[in-house]
Amino acid sequence: MRTVRSLTSALAALAVSAASAVTLTLTSAPPAAALENGLARTPQMGFNNWNATHCGADFNEDMVKGIADLFVSSGLKDAGYQYVNLDDCWAEKDRDANGDYVPNHTRFPNGIKTLADYVHSKGLKFGLYTSAGTLTCAQTMPGSLGHEQQDAKLWASWGVDYLKYDNCNNQGVDAVKRYTAMRDALAATGRPILFSMCEWGENKPWTWAKDVGNSWRTTGDISDSYSSMLSIVHQNMALASYAGPGHWNDPDMLEVGNGGMTDIEYRSHFSLWSVMAAPLLIGSDLRKASAATMKILTNREVIAVDQDPLGVQGAPIGTDGGRDVFVKPLKNGDRAVALFNESDAPQRIGTSATAVGLPAAPGYTVRDLWAHTTRETAGTLAATVPAHGTVLLRVSADRRWALHPPAVDVGVGLPVAYPGALPIVQPGTPVTVTTTATNAGRLPALAVRSGLTAPDGWTVRAASRRSTPALGTDRSFSTSWTVTPPQDAAVGAYDLTARTTYAGASAESTVQATVLKLTTPPSGTTYLSDLPWVRASNGWGPVEKDTSNGEKAAGDGHPITINGAVYKKGLGAHAPSTIEYYAAKQCTSVAADVGVDDEKTTNGSVTFEIWADGTKVADSGLLTTADPAAHLSADVGGASFVRLIVTDGGNGNDSDHADWADARITCT
Ligand code: GLA
């Protein structure tokens, strides 16, 4: 029975529709009590073309068939990937005389049904996309608002098994109403169709959509950068309690293999999505995938964490100093434990078997799901994790722990100016490097011997003992090394790898030493945009000098403008961002006018911070598109390095164009 309230809102929606040519069906099927479509008992796995192609010419029948073929030939299907899904731009702009979607003639000359049949012939499932609006986001094809029943029927007749339902051009119609209407239309077809809601977390779908969709996007769109991936992790990790079999949080599709992150970062991306029980939708063109990409995507031990039938989304039990420990309880009582290092330098991250929820026991078995090794521990779970890296462990209170070698963790340390600082070395200048092996095992590690390797042309000399006969539980053994880069070492990052061997096993870890020629800033006051930075990272596109951030290529910004005030000098950043300068302990202050650039009028909200080495010395508080520029200045006396940091203000980094207008440093 329709309530007065819903009738009123339907009429209000009709009024909207009169202006925008939407016709809402007032006689839709009665809402189902719950989704109960039996699908996505574990998070869905498959492919979607969007991240690889957007609406480019590569998105066509050949591609989709090629992906389906590869699913079978390269073992992806066997690894659990099932859905082959089309995103935006699969249809013509206009509906046909019956009001039905028309497949895009150029991309899909043989229609969608033929393609779905092809995908089905491979034992796979087929998915489509549209928007709960009048047009899709790319605006090249119609949306389904007001056409839910007719469209669902058409897709079911084509054999569609999956619908991604976007949020663009929604005419302000209530989200619950729009998504519920499509849920009911899909249910009315009688065909099981997985319903993937994509309203970007705008209406907190985790609080209402459990009975509406099989999954819901929790954030804005991912992009192929570490900072985008990280910002999504921060948003999605807080929502663990809302996910479960049949209804998952969706932190967006995978970027693994698209080229904007390193393989270490892609392994973090894949590990964290798995620990967070996220849908695993491959977003790269597998026809061009490297061996490394395939290895990540087909790691069955990691996939098993994502697909664990208990269906619990893992959550952080600790986040501190860029060190995150995520725990996901698994059906057989094991725990998946992700040790994620968000920061730009290697860090040792540790927890314990009892802290991750395992019962007290004399020993535990630890499986490293990327190294594919098995070790025993007396309880400590620790690893030195590379910058942006994740060590993913599966830990069990298994009585056969003593069959495995003890878990030894190796760290390698270089002198740094503050915790998390870049380990910088100068050509021809010796530095002391320390390697440390720590035994977490219940059993002693025997015949322990450490080594350190550096690139050709570097000299490495042990300055203390390299071996010890035995290392007991939770005991460490350190060796000092004198390492000298060659006089002519070029600027860049160089691997130093520590490797410890012991009876039955070995362990290693790598740190990157950065060769940089540091230049002392001139005395007096200088615009920071006229100085070389030590490093810079940005949420979208590169940091711009003397313009705002244009989000994509270098040089695509505009004059820096905050609430009407235009600045000739400054830095154009996009949250989350860090820009670091060498101050050589010779500078006294940093100042800037900070704010969100006028080129964004909604959503942008950020905080600006100035750091002197490891200490925050200024903080703007939250600034949004509505605020005028705030003047920020800080005493940076004695600092070796100064960092300008922009955070996303806690609401994701959509539209966070952050200007450091007139940013300048004063040195003696
Ligand atoms: C939105 C969605 C994306 C993608 C595009 C297509 O931005 O969030 O995932 O589907 O639309 O235009």
Side-chain angles (χ1 to χ4, degrees), residues 69-118:
D69 294 347
L70 273 167
F71 261 36
V72 177
S73 63
S74 66
L76 288 158
K77 181 184 170 195
D78 288 344
Y81 295 94
Q82 192 180 21
Y83 292 97
V84 177
N85 297 345
L86 315 192
D87 210 280
D88 206 342
C89 298
W90 61 265
E92 291 289 333
K93 179 110 193 214
D94 294 316
R95 292 170 178 268
D96 68 12
N98 300 323
D100 280 336
Y101 276 100
V102 180
N104 183 288
H105 295 304
T106 324
R107 300 180 199 275
F108 302 106
N110 299 304
I112 297 295
K113 173 149 196 334
T114 320
L115 188 57
D117 289 347
Y118 184 86

Side-chain angles (χ1 to χ4, degrees), residues 520-528 531 581-592 631 633-639 642 662-668:
T520 309
S523 59
T525 298
T526 314
Y527 286 116
L528 285 168
L531 291 175
Y581 292 91
Y582 183 51
K585 301 187 178 167
Q586 290 189 19
C587 301
T588 51
S589 66
V590 166
H631 184 72
S633 71
D635 178 350
V636 299
V642 167
D662 275 352
R664 53 203 181 275
I665 190 164
T666 303
C667 306
T668 52

Side-chain angles (χ1 to χ4, degrees), residues 422-495:
L422 266 188
I424 294 173
V425 292
Q426 304 283 309
T429 309
V431 284
T432 301
V433 175
T434 310
T435 60
T436 305
T438 307
N439 178 22
R442 173 66 64 202
L443 305 170
L446 302 174
V448 177
R449 184 172 172 82
S450 293
L452 180 68
T453 53
D456 285 350
W458 292 48
T459 59
V460 176
R461 202 167 44 76
S464 70
R465 240 165 18 106
R466 296 180 58 176
S467 56
T468 186
L471 203 54
T473 303
D474 289 330
R475 303 305 288 261
S476 295
F477 169 67
S478 294
T479 305
S480 296
W481 311 79
T482 306
V483 175
T484 315
Q487 280 294 354
D488 59 354
V491 167
Y494 297 84
D495 283 352

Side-chain angles (χ1 to χ4, degrees), residues 50 87-88 129 137-138 164 166 168 198 200 217 221 252-253:
W50 180 255
D87 210 280
D88 206 342
Y129 159 100
C137 296
K164 171 177 171 184
D166 213 337
C168 284
C198 177
W200 322 311
R217 281 270 300 276
D221 288 4
D252 207 355
M253 303 174 292

Side-chain angles (χ1 to χ4, degrees), residues 38-164:
L39 299 171
R41 304 316 295 168
T42 61
Q44 62 264 36
M45 293 176 65
F47 168 86
N48 172 301
N49 65 286
W50 180 255
N51 288 345
T53 64
H54 287 206
C55 293
D58 272 3
F59 174 43
N60 56 32
E61 182 178 303
D62 281 352
M63 175 194 205
V64 180
K65 284 178 152 177
I67 299 292
D69 294 347
L70 273 167
F71 261 36
V72 177
S73 63
S74 66
L76 288 158
K77 181 184 170 195
D78 288 344
Y81 295 94
Q82 192 180 21
Y83 292 97
V84 177
N85 297 345
L86 315 192
D87 210 280
D88 206 342
C89 298
W90 61 265
E92 291 289 333
K93 179 110 193 214
D94 294 316
R95 292 170 178 268
D96 68 12
N98 300 323
D100 280 336
Y101 276 100
V102 180
N104 183 288
H105 295 304
T106 324
R107 300 180 199 275
F108 302 106
N110 299 304
I112 297 295
K113 173 149 196 334
T114 320
L115 188 57
D117 289 347
Y118 184 86
V119 170
H120 289 144
S121 75
K122 303 274 160 181
L124 298 166
K125 296 201 149 117
F126 181 78
L128 276 186
Y129 159 100
T130 192
S131 183
T134 46
L135 279 175
T136 59
C137 296
Q139 314 218 6
T140 58
M141 55 177 273
S144 285
L145 185 62
H147 297 261
E148 292 86 354
Q149 301 275 333
Q150 174 173 6
D151 294 346
K153 247 191 230 154
L154 177 69
W155 300 326
S157 78
W158 287 347
V160 168
D161 308 299
Y162 186 118
L163 177 69
K164 171 177 171 184

Side-chain angles (χ1 to χ4, degrees), residues 284-602:
S284 65
D285 188 345
L286 292 167
R287 297 170 304 170
K288 304 175 199 156
S290 68
T293 295
M294 292 307 291
K295 215 167 157 184
I296 294 172
L297 295 173
T298 56
N299 185 327
R300 291 191 186 213
E301 294 194 89
V302 179
I303 292 172
V305 170
D306 182 75
Q307 295 291 302
D308 186 79
L310 190 60
V312 173
Q313 175 175 332
I317 57 163
T319 64
D320 159 47
R323 293 176 299 253
D324 302 333
V325 178
F326 281 79
V327 179
K328 183 182 200 285
L330 304 174
K331 179 93 192 240
N332 71 350
D334 291 358
R335 296 289 186 277
V337 179
L339 308 175
F340 171 40
N341 178 4
E342 297 185 10
S343 76
D344 297 339
Q347 298 204 68
R348 187 162 193 268
I349 306 179
T351 181
S352 70
T354 46
V356 303
L358 289 169
Y364 303 85
T365 300
V366 186
R367 178 79 179 161
D368 182 320
L369 305 187
W370 289 108
H372 304 297
T373 55
T374 310
R375 302 281 183 262
E376 62 86 7
T377 171
T380 299
L381 304 167
T384 300
V385 186
H388 301 181
T390 298
V391 168
L392 187 59
L393 306 173
R394 183 173 184 131
V395 191
S396 52
D398 166 12
R399 267 182 272 130
R400 288 159 304 173
W401 58 269
L403 297 176
H404 307 289
V408 170
D409 154 56
V410 181
V412 41
L414 276 151
V416 288
Y418 60 89
L422 266 188
I424 294 173
V425 292
Q426 304 283 309
T429 309
V431 284
T432 301
V433 175
T434 310
T435 60
T436 305
T438 307
N439 178 22
R442 173 66 64 202
L443 305 170
L446 302 174
V448 177
R449 184 172 172 82
S450 293
L452 180 68
T453 53
D456 285 350
W458 292 48
T459 59
V460 176
R461 202 167 44 76
S464 70
R465 240 165 18 106
R466 296 180 58 176
S467 56
T468 186
L471 203 54
T473 303
D474 289 330
R475 303 305 288 261
S476 295
F477 169 67
S478 294
T479 305
S480 296
W481 311 79
T482 306
V483 175
T484 315
Q487 280 294 354
D488 59 354
V491 167
Y494 297 84
D495 283 352
L496 301 179
T497 300
R499 184 176 161 82
T500 297
T501 56
Y502 55 104
S506 68
E508 66 175 46
S509 92
T510 298
V511 69
Q512 288 201 315
T514 304
V515 171
L516 261 189
K517 302 203 170 84
L518 295 172
T519 42
T520 309
S523 59
T525 298
T526 314
Y527 286 116
L528 285 168
S529 53
D530 294 335
L531 291 175
W533 54 58
V534 172
R535 58 175 162 174
S537 66
N538 222 24
W540 284 88
V543 174
E544 299 289 351
K545 293 180 176 171
D546 303 330
T547 71
S548 66
N549 172 274
E551 295 195 355
K552 294 206 167 72
D556 63 355
H558 303 103
I560 290 174
T561 313
I562 307 171
N563 252 31
V566 183
Y567 297 81
K568 277 216 177 65
K569 302 294 290 179
L571 296 159
H574 193 300
S577 172
T578 299
I579 315 167
E580 181 162 15
Y581 292 91
Y582 183 51
K585 301 187 178 167
Q586 290 189 19
C587 301
T588 51
S589 66
V590 166
D593 285 356
V594 296
V596 179
D597 196 277
D598 283 5
E599 66 200 346
K600 289 289 164 182
T601 51
T602 53

